[in-house]
């Protein structure tokens, strides 16, 4: 199944609240015929846009290709949370890689947040960036772990922008009866993800990147001068960057065996009144919780609740996305059981076995970064900068990320989907049973 076209209309953004509240760029042309470049970047999400922008600023001639529109995939559909750290917690990384590399990964993650904020400021990207992410816990053991982790970040990494919250303190922010404690990270943030992606595309275009949309890449020929073949053209270049994430398809089996595409869903309610806002979020911060099938939510700049969550197995989106999301939203906020939902949409992201991104040199002149596992706003942006630096000969950051173990999914690219479905069904059942 080709996920590029399974759930969406070619060349059109989904009917999301994001797409409805963003000034779109005029369409870029489709690639037709022969093109040459120093670097060809495949995929115009955060990774590809950031890679292209940073390379162009270094003087490289860059061609950027996307099968749909810039920011069409997960970059333009996600929850908009700019989180701290890596997707795996630091104590887990310490056990996996040792304290020295864990410290380097923490520093890279802090660089990712700083880079995202700097790009927004430098290019005047109007994406409603605001500070703060709260983490909500549902069970006493999770609260204990969360508070210990806050202490660990403060003591081991000197991170003082996060604080532990008891039940009453969390309810002053998020008055859901489900949550019994957690934390608040004011060094993290949230933003309008599609507006951010389009802002990066505008900056890349201004920097001289040649962007082609509606250009489906279906084959790559490696070699000293690799060739990227599209439906109606091809690009001969010195370097290729694969920035496809969940939409990689069969372009590279090595990446496909390690990065699994899954779907996730978000709904936007009607605008809430001031009184209603006090029953949902009393501070304008984002929230994520401890469920395996995670709930994540925040307020929009027009006072809607943007709520992400829900389960769906298989690559096709469900026919009633709003109904899928309404169920977990009602568990968190029972009083919103009948609230009007104005928008509901799905998206495809890439996950890995370790929930850490997969950075790889697939050949001396072919690099790939993907598999952000729901932590991609800052990490994917930073990945683009690290890829650009690696192409320019400064590969320390890229190589640090590439050292993270990246096991293949059982069955590689063939049988990974049914096995993942079984695993996620089990974890979802544990969520429902509270075990």
């Amino acid at each position: 199944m080709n996920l590029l076209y399974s759930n969406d209309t070619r060349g059109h953004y989904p009917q999301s609240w994001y797409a409805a509240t963003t000034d779109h760029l005029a369409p870029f042309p489709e690639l037709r015929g022969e093109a040459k470049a120093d670097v060809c970047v495949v995929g115009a999400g955060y990774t590809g846009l950031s890679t292209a922008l940073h390379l162009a600023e270094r003087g490289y001639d860059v061609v950027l290709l996307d099968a749909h529109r810039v920011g069409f995939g997960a970059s333009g559909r996600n929850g908009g949370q700019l989180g701290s750290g890596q997707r795996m917690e630091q104590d887990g990384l310490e056990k996996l890689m040792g304290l020295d590399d864990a410290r380097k990964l923490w520093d890279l993650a802090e660089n990712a947040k700083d880079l995202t904020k700097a790009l927004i400021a430098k290019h005047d990207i109007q994406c409603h960036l605001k500070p703060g992410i709260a983490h909500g816990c549902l069970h006493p053991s999770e609260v204990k772990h969360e508070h210990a982790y806050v202490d660990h970040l403060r003591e081991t990494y000197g991170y003082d922008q996060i604080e532990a919250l008891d039940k009453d303190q969390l309810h002053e922010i998020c008055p859901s009866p489900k949550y019994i404690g957690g934390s608040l990270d004011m060094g993290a943030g949230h933003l309008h993800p599609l507006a951010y992606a389009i802002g990066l595309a505008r900056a890349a275009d201004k920097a001289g990147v040649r962007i082609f949309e509606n250009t489906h890449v279906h084959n790559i020929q490696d070699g000293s001068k690799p060739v990227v073949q599209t439906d109606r053209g091809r690009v001969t270049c010195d370097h290729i960057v694969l920035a496809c994430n969940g939409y990689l398809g069969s372009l590279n089996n090595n990446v496909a065996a390690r990065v699994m595409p899954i779907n996730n869903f978000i709904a936007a309610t009607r605008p809430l009144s001031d009184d209603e806002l006090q029953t949902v979020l009393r501070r304008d911060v984002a929230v994520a919780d401890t469920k395996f099938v995670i709930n994540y939510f925040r307020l929009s700049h027009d006072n809607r609740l943007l709520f992400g969550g829900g389960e769906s197995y298989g690559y096709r989106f469900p026919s009633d996305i709003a109904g899928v999301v309404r169920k977990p939203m009602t568990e968190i906020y029972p009083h919103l059981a009948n609230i009007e939902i104005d928008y509901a949409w799905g998206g495809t992201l890439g996950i890995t076995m370790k929930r850490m991104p997969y950075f790889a040199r697939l050949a001396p002149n072919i690099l790939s970064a993907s598999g952000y596992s729901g932590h991609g706003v800052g990490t994917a942006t930073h990945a683009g900068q690290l890829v650009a630096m690696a192409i320019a000969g400064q590969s320390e950051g890229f190589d640090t990320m590439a050292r993270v173990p990246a096991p293949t999914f059982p069955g590689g690219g063939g049988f990974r989907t049914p096995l993942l479905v079984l695993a996620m069904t089990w974890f979802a059942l544990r969520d429902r049973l509270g075990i």
Side-chain angles (χ1 to χ4, degrees), residues 63 66 88 112 116 119 121 125 200 214 216 247 322 334-335 338 408:
V63 164
D66 198 276
M88 181 184 288
T116 303
L119 289 170
I125 301 175
L200 290 178
N214 286 307
H216 180 199
Y247 294 95
H335 64 286
N338 298 312
T408 61

Side-chain angles (χ1 to χ4, degrees), residues 268-290:
T269 69
R270 63 161 170 77
L272 304 178
S273 68
D274 289 344
D275 288 342
E276 287 173 326
L277 290 173
Q278 290 300 305
T279 70
V280 175
L281 281 171
R282 295 170 179 167
R283 288 179 61 176
D284 193 3
V285 301
V287 180
D289 67 21
T290 51

Side-chain angles (χ1 to χ4, degrees), residues 262-432:
I262 64 168
N263 296 326
N264 206 254
F265 309 101
I266 303 179
T269 69
R270 63 161 170 77
L272 304 178
S273 68
D274 289 344
D275 288 342
E276 287 173 326
L277 290 173
Q278 290 300 305
T279 70
V280 175
L281 281 171
R282 295 170 179 167
R283 288 179 61 176
D284 193 3
V285 301
V287 180
D289 67 21
T290 51
K291 295 189 73 173
F292 182 82
V293 182
I294 188 172
N295 296 313
Y296 54 95
F297 48 94
R298 62 192 182 90
L299 298 176
S300 68
H301 61 266
D302 60 353
N303 290 336
R304 302 172 187 271
L305 176 64
L306 305 179
F307 194 100
E311 306 160 26
S312 176
Y313 304 112
Y315 288 153
R316 293 301 301 271
F317 292 170
S319 58
D320 181 15
I321 295 176
V324 170
V325 180
R326 187 183 293 277
K327 183 178 180 181
M329 183 174 71
T330 301
E331 291 174 357
I332 301 303
Y333 294 117
H335 64 286
L336 297 183
N338 298 312
I339 188 101
E340 296 92 335
I341 290 177
D342 287 348
Y343 301 88
W345 64 96
T348 301
L349 64 149
I351 66 171
T352 63
M353 287 281 285
K354 295 290 186 182
R355 298 301 189 268
M356 285 291 289
Y358 178 52
F359 283 58
R361 292 181 182 270
L362 306 174
N365 54 358
I366 302 178
L367 280 70
S368 176
S370 59
Y372 305 108
S373 303
H375 195 70
V377 175
T379 308
T381 301
H382 193 221
Q385 185 187 57
L386 295 179
V387 169
M389 293 173 67
I391 289 173
Q394 301 167 288
S395 63
E396 181 180 358
F398 184 94
D399 291 342
T400 297
M401 296 298 296
R403 283 200 297 273
V404 178
T408 61
F409 282 93
F415 294 97
R416 58 188 182 163
T417 304
L419 291 172
L420 182 70
V421 168
L422 288 172
M424 292 193 70
T425 303
W426 162 241
F427 281 109
L429 178 62
R430 291 184 63 186
D431 275 345
R432 287 192 288 270

